[in-house]
Amino acid sequence: MRETASRAKPAGPQTVTARGKTSIADGVVAKIAGMAAREVPGIHALGGGFARTMGAVRDKVPGGRADVTRGVKVEVGERQAAVDLAVVVEYGIAITEVAQEVRENVITAVERMTGLEVVEVNIAVNDVHLPHEDEEAAEDRVR
């Protein structure tokens, strides 16, 4: 039985030490990257239009939770990871500057927390959030 279990492919990268092994699931890396991206000022949301719409519906359902991996895709290998992010930036923010801040924050967080080398962080800016969009949404909720 022990031999069969040792041949099974782990869910993510592993660190093997004299006292055991540690494996990190892809979902863990995605959560770290999503949280790190959201920490950057100028990021309004993550995800494409459809994903944000479905997420907003899911967030309003009683017992539903915000999905921190919305708009995040990762590829995790034995020692390296690559991250793809879909973001919405606030109007008036320099997109290239906020993208660089997101990239640096994601790399720092993932590498610090997992020990993986982040080889790339690709950022797709899918939308710009306009200030009046919040006012319109509030009016729709009141009606």
Side-chain angles (χ1 to χ4, degrees), residues 14-22:
Q14 288 190 20
T15 303
V16 179
T17 67
R19 295 188 179 202
K21 65 181 174 183
T22 303

Side-chain angles (χ1 to χ4, degrees), residues 22-134:
T22 303
S23 61
I24 302 168
D26 293 6
V28 171
V29 177
K31 281 185 177 184
I32 294 167
M35 291 298 296
R38 284 176 174 81
E39 291 173 351
V40 176
I43 295 296
H44 177 73
L46 267 65
F50 182 73
R52 284 196 333 269
T53 301
M54 293 306 294
V57 170
R58 187 177 30 247
D59 293 348
K60 290 180 183 187
V61 172
R65 294 186 214 163
D67 182 10
V68 296
T69 62
R70 184 181 329 143
V72 181
K73 292 182 183 171
V74 299
E75 291 182 28
V76 181
E78 289 294 318
R79 294 185 179 90
Q80 297 178 325
V83 179
D84 293 331
L85 299 169
V87 302
V88 178
V89 299
E90 295 288 347
Y91 175 78
I93 300 295
I95 293 173
T96 55
E97 290 175 16
V98 78
Q100 188 57 35
E101 287 181 49
V102 167
R103 190 171 283 112
E104 290 171 9
N105 208 41
V106 167
I107 290 169
T108 299
V110 171
E111 288 184 347
R112 180 178 53 81
M113 294 179 72
T114 67
L116 294 168
E117 175 192 7
V118 179
V119 293
E120 65 182 5
V121 176
N122 299 308
I123 300 171
V125 179
N126 289 338
D127 202 357
V128 174
H129 179 259
L130 303 174
H132 72 274
E133 290 175 338
D134 289 334

Side-chain angles (χ1 to χ4, degrees), residues 60 134-143:
K60 290 180 183 187
D134 289 334
E135 295 166 8
E136 290 172 1
E139 288 175 12
D140 289 342
R141 284 190 297 257
V142 172
R143 292 181 197 177

